Amino acid sequence: MRTVAKLWLAAVTAAFAAQILAAFLWPQSFRLTAFSDLIQCLLLLSATASFIPSLLRARGRVRLFWSLITLGVGLWLSYQLLWTYIEVFLRQDVPDLFAGDVVLFLNIVPLMAALALRPHTVQDEYAARVGRLDFLLLIIWWLYLYTLVVMPWQYASPQAALYAHNLNSVYLVEKIALLLALIASWIGSRGHWRRFYGSLFCAYSIYAASSYIANWAIARQQYYSGSFYDIPLAAAMTGLTWIGLRHSGDGHKARAHETEDGQISTIYGVWIARCGMIAVFSLPLFAFWSISEAQVPGRVRSFRLVVTLAAALAMGIMVFVRQYYLERELIRLLNLSRESFDNLKRLQAQILQSEKLASIGQLVGGAAHELNNPITAMLGYSDLLLATSLTADQQPSAARIGHYVRRTRSLVASLIAFARQGPAPKTLIDLNTLLRTAIKLAQPQWASLPIQVRTLYDPDLPRVLGDSNQLLQVCQQFIGNCLHVMGTRGGTLSVTTEAGAGMCLLQISAEPQSSAPIVHTPEFSSLDPEDGLGLSVCQGILQEHRGTLARERHQDGGIQLRIEIPAAESAPLKRPSPTVPVLWQSQPSA
């Protein structure tokens, strides 16, 4: 507790000690009455002010909680000011039928409303809104109960004895309800909130006991303002200041976690709703009681019936509004349930598809590894065959065997890449060096064929962020597709790069010799009908690198591929990236 709070609490304690000394040392007199009333006003003023720091620091529902607590204590202060004004300034006794008694009764209503907010728990928006409506029903019911039981003997048929008896009875029931609500809040909380509810319970228990003692003394005509019967009342007022200052001192802890419970409890809301419905159904019983009580004056019965009808109308409107919110919430929950069910079915389908793909990947990977050995052997024998002396008719056939064996090996490599798809670390890559490496690796495929390779690299091409092995695989795949399009007819393979608008552009095209026969294929689903899997793998790699692919087949049978990949930097590259497998160092373009 800070120094200011300690000094504040010391001053309040001194005032309470002065109240005790005056009660025992001074006889019944105007001086004692004035001193006692002013001390109690100061104590309640201090109690009201002690909760203001917590109010200003809090937010949302917690701020509303502290506002209601401050309002409740403030109403008690207002009643004490009215009492002091009559006894001290007017020098009169407080009348038996005092209109200000309703303020004393109402001071507990904001406290119960504050407890209904349950700031120590987590609540969703709907629960908080419906909970406020349920508790508003109970507040209307409490006001109706006071008006039904107390006010008829104050306005319809004034009788001081019945008025005082009914007021004390209703006020006692209200205080018991507050104490029970504090016990329930104390049980359902923990930490600093549990200490707060326990302290508040002790203070209002003392206040309830002091009210009972004062009424007992009044009945025996032993009570007067400032007597020792007021000491428990002053103790309760002092305790409220201590509670406010203590919780304000713990505010830096509460601010970090204003709601301590992480789980949403629905039991409390169910009981509040049940109490609200019981309050509504109690109106006909009170109306029957008002009619059946024959010994009361007719004006009192009429007054009670009018009040019951007004309360029934007000509470009926509240029930209608609550039902409206309930229907809206049920419709929302139904829509959410349907959406969740649809999402669950989609998720199940995706999981099933993922399991299928995982199984296919394992199968494909194993089969591809088994095929690699015979393919390597066939490739070696085809190269040996080409190295022997063959006739002019046998040479193209042997070259075609080697070409298709290499195509098969490329397909197997695509199968393995498909089985191993996954995210890989990305580094800065020089695409010019990458393309030179890809051409160098593909050289055995076109070295024995009438194919001319032309390259044009942009020397200011920026680097890209990606996986060098994956992008090298893409370049090899597309170069292989272009070589497949030209086949044994021969032609020109063109590879160019250029930079533009923050993108790196790669263009790979195949132009078959015009003298060779042409097979027109106006529609195609992949670059090569025999290599659809390789195309799918390449498209997946480009998507992972945020790249795009444009394909175009010419009328003469040629094909053009245009790849765009976002540049990682705008500065031109001065040297090859060491992350690329450098099999073909930078040389002047062919």
Side-chain angles (χ1 to χ4, degrees):
M1 189 176 293
R2 295 175 299 177
T3 303
V4 176
K6 292 179 179 179
L7 294 176
W8 187 345
L9 187 58
V12 171
T13 305
F16 174 59
Q19 170 82 28
I20 297 175
L21 292 175
F24 284 98
L25 298 179
W26 290 352
Q28 182 179 2
S29 61
F30 174 76
R31 180 181 63 175
L32 177 61
T33 299
F35 181 80
S36 175
D37 288 347
L38 292 175
I39 287 294
Q40 291 180 16
C41 287
L42 290 175
L43 291 177
L44 286 175
L45 179 61
S46 172
T48 305
S50 66
F51 291 104
I52 293 178
S54 298
L55 185 155
L56 297 176
R57 183 170 43 247
R59 295 291 182 271
R61 183 162 52 99
V62 181
R63 168 170 283 188
L64 179 58
F65 170 82
W66 291 115
S67 300
L68 291 172
I69 293 291
T70 307
L71 176 61
V73 181
L75 287 175
W76 190 3
L77 171 62
S78 301
Y79 178 77
Q80 185 62 37
L81 290 173
L82 290 174
W83 188 283
T84 303
Y85 174 77
I86 295 173
E87 286 194 332
V88 176
F89 293 94
L90 299 182
R91 298 197 175 192
Q92 298 176 2
D93 292 333
V94 177
D96 294 333
L97 300 177
F98 183 37
D101 287 336
V102 67
V103 179
L104 183 65
F105 178 84
L106 290 177
N107 88 92
I108 291 183
V109 174
L111 299 177
M112 290 192 291
L115 297 178
L117 291 175
R118 292 173 62 82
H120 58 278
T121 60
V122 180
Q123 290 183 355
D124 59 5
E125 181 183 356
Y126 166 75
R129 182 168 57 245
V130 174
R132 286 192 290 267
L133 289 174
D134 290 333
F135 204 81
L136 185 57
L137 273 176
L138 297 179
I139 292 176
I140 294 176
W141 184 82
W142 279 109
L143 294 176
Y144 160 73
L145 185 63
Y146 179 86
T147 306
L148 181 75
V149 177
V150 179
M151 284 189 174
W153 308 111
Q154 184 179 9
Y155 297 107
S157 178
Q159 296 185 32
L162 290 175
Y163 170 81
H165 176 268
N166 290 348
L167 174 62
N168 293 332
S169 300
V170 173
Y171 196 38
L172 177 61
V173 172
E174 187 182 33
K175 286 182 287 188
I176 293 175
L178 174 63
L179 294 178
L180 292 176
L182 285 171
I183 292 175
S185 299
W186 180 82
I187 294 175
S189 61
R190 56 187 174 88
H192 66 279
W193 284 112
R194 190 181 184 93
R195 293 192 297 271
F196 172 76
Y197 291 133
S199 302
L200 202 63
F201 173 80
C202 293
Y204 273 92
S205 296
I206 296 173
Y207 171 61
S210 67
S211 298
Y212 178 80
I213 294 172
N215 290 331
W216 179 86
I218 290 172
R220 287 159 178 76
Q221 297 182 352
Q222 297 177 3
Y223 176 82
Y224 56 89
S225 296
S227 65
F228 61 87
Y229 294 108
D230 283 346
I231 293 177
L233 181 64
M237 298 175 180
T238 306
L240 287 178
T241 298
W242 177 79
I243 293 171
L245 293 178
R246 180 187 180 189
H247 195 85
S248 177
D250 293 340
H252 64 281
K253 301 177 183 178
R255 190 175 184 181
H257 49 281
E258 291 181 338
T259 57
E260 293 185 346
D261 295 343
Q263 296 181 349
I264 299 176
S265 175
T266 58
I267 298 177
Y268 177 82
V270 170
W271 277 106
I272 287 292
R274 290 174 180 174
C275 291
M277 292 301 101
I278 292 173
V280 172
F281 288 119
S282 68
L283 296 182
L285 299 178
F286 281 114
F288 178 76
W289 170 70
S290 301
I291 296 173
S292 61
E293 199 174 10
Q295 65 273 20
V296 301
R299 297 182 61 182
V300 173
R301 289 199 299 269
S302 300
F303 181 87
R304 286 175 172 173
L305 286 175
V306 172
V307 169
T308 302
L309 290 175
L313 177 62
M315 297 178 73
I317 293 174
M318 295 300 303
V319 170
F320 175 80
V321 174
R322 186 186 188 280
Q323 189 66 25
Y324 168 74
Y325 281 121
L326 180 60
E327 290 177 355
R328 286 184 55 185
E329 182 65 13
L330 290 176
I331 293 174
R332 186 182 71 86
L333 291 176
L334 179 60
N335 293 333
L336 286 177
S337 299
R338 291 175 177 172
E339 183 178 354
S340 300
F341 182 71
D342 293 339
N343 292 335
L344 179 60
K345 291 195 297 184
R346 285 194 293 268
L347 180 60
Q348 289 176 339
Q350 291 175 0
I351 292 175
L352 182 61
Q353 185 67 18
S354 300
E355 292 177 349
K356 290 180 178 179
L357 289 176
S359 301
I360 293 174
Q362 293 178 357
L363 178 63
V364 166
H369 281 295
E370 293 296 329
L371 290 174
N372 264 334
N373 293 330
I375 289 176
T376 303
M378 286 188 292
L379 184 60
Y381 286 125
S382 65
D383 291 340
L384 290 175
L385 182 63
L386 285 173
T388 59
S389 56
L390 299 175
T391 64
D393 296 334
Q394 295 172 340
Q395 188 74 27
S397 299
R400 191 176 294 109
I401 291 174
H403 173 73
Y404 280 105
V405 169
R406 289 183 174 86
R407 288 291 304 153
T408 305
R409 186 177 64 174
S410 176
L411 177 60
V412 171
S414 298
L415 290 172
I416 295 176
F418 173 77
R420 293 178 178 175
Q421 285 189 77
K426 294 181 174 60
T427 56
L428 294 177
I429 301 171
D430 178 16
L431 292 179
N432 291 337
T433 304
L434 195 75
L435 283 170
R436 292 188 182 99
T437 302
I439 293 174
K440 182 66 176 178
L441 292 174
Q443 187 174 5
Q445 300 183 40
W446 53 265
S448 60
L449 299 175
I451 294 177
Q452 183 180 7
V453 179
R454 295 179 180 177
T455 59
L456 179 61
Y457 301 125
D458 186 352
D460 296 329
L461 186 71
R463 291 184 290 183
V464 299
L465 187 65
D467 179 70
S468 59
N469 292 323
Q470 290 183 343
L471 292 179
L472 180 62
Q473 177 186 347
V474 171
C475 295
Q476 286 184 281
Q477 181 68 46
F478 290 160
I479 291 175
N481 279 101
C482 291
L483 293 176
H484 176 78
V485 168
M486 291 182 291
T488 57
R489 295 180 296 169
T492 302
L493 174 67
S494 300
V495 179
T496 61
T497 61
E498 61 177 313
M503 303 292 290
C504 294
L505 310 179
L506 284 70
Q507 185 169 299
I508 304 174
S509 61
E511 301 176 5
Q513 291 185 4
S514 58
S515 59
I518 299 175
V519 179
H520 295 282
T521 55
E523 299 292 338
F524 59 94
S525 58
S526 66
L527 296 179
D528 185 357
E530 300 178 5
D531 198 31
L533 179 61
L535 177 62
S536 300
V537 173
C538 293
Q539 286 179 331
I541 293 174
L542 290 176
Q543 289 178 359
E544 185 177 347
H545 289 75
R546 297 182 300 160
T548 58
L549 170 66
R551 297 166 292 173
E552 180 181 356
R553 188 180 291 275
H554 300 155
Q555 293 295 326
D556 59 355
I559 190 172
Q560 179 178 340
L561 305 173
R562 183 181 177 88
I563 305 170
E564 294 186 3
I565 301 177
E569 56 182 20
S570 58
L573 182 68
K574 300 302 182 183
R575 60 178 181 176
S577 172
T579 61
V580 179
V582 184
L583 300 177
W584 185 280
Q585 296 294 339
S586 300
Q587 298 176 358
S589 301

